[in-house]
Amino acid sequence: MNEEAMNVVMMRLGGEMIAISTDALREILEPVPVTRVPRAGAFSSGLINVRGAVVPLADLRVAFGMPQEPVTEDTRMVVLDVPVAGEIVTVAVIADKVHDVTEFDPATIEDLPHVGHGWPPEFVRGVGKWQDGFVLMPDLEPVFSQAIANHAPETALSDEGH
């Protein structure tokens, strides 16, 4: 494994800091209007328009069992390209606040401890040390793969019919 610093976007989500590789980052948006999808689950309940493209909006707080937060002036929509079932899918996720894009030392990433957290371990790549605390490193592929598997085809995160 390459131990060089990796670039990540640091954001707050449900009171926790998370880091997502900038390799997946497409752009960061201020909140835009959301079109609600009937019968969609809490994880991905709507669609947004990103430069003319229809993009599903997901709430990672649901997958990680984090508390909901009200929309504030700091709320952002982070548009990502995520691998799902061998394909790259463009999705947007809600962030309570985006802090910055920074270098992160992979040597500080450790496996998720077996106790002391409530996060689904299959959704966590690791826990890293950042500034004076810890940062969650989510594994987005299983998060979105499970979301697709749990919903009917008409609410799946796909571009079928478009």
Side-chain angles (χ1 to χ4, degrees):
M1 178 176 163
N2 186 351
E3 291 298 321
E4 290 183 21
M6 58 190 229
N7 290 318
V8 297
V9 58
M10 302 295 271
M11 55 193 196
R12 187 174 53 76
L13 192 67
E16 302 287 344
M17 286 298 295
I18 69 167
I20 296 175
S21 171
T22 57
D23 291 344
L25 181 63
R26 193 175 262 218
E27 62 186 298
I28 300 168
L29 305 172
E30 290 192 16
V32 298
V34 178
T35 301
R36 297 289 168 199
V37 176
R39 297 189 317 257
F43 175 72
S44 180
S45 61
L47 303 170
I48 64 171
N49 179 337
V50 178
R51 302 186 192 289
V54 176
V55 175
L57 177 65
D59 191 343
L60 293 176
R61 293 174 294 207
V62 173
F64 285 97
M66 296 174 172
Q68 294 297 310
E69 300 270 336
V71 173
T72 70
E73 65 182 27
D74 290 331
T75 302
R76 297 292 180 266
M77 293 175 174
V78 181
V79 183
L80 304 168
D81 289 329
V82 178
V84 178
E87 295 184 35
I88 300 296
V89 177
T90 300
V91 299
V93 297
I94 298 168
D96 297 323
K97 182 174 183 171
V98 174
H99 289 273
D100 58 12
V101 174
T102 187
E103 285 190 349
F104 194 82
D105 182 358
T108 67
I109 301 171
E110 297 181 16
D111 290 339
L112 187 65
H114 296 292
V115 295
H117 63 83
W119 304 314
E122 66 273 19
F123 295 163
V124 180
R125 184 166 277 147
V127 177
K129 295 174 184 134
W130 185 66
Q131 294 182 351
D132 293 331
F134 294 101
V135 60
L136 176 69
M137 310 288 288
D139 190 348
L140 297 176
E141 184 170 8
V143 171
F144 285 96
S145 294
Q146 181 171 318
I148 290 170
N150 287 344
H151 291 88
E154 66 269 19
T155 61
L157 303 175
S158 73
D159 289 334
E160 292 178 18
H162 295 280

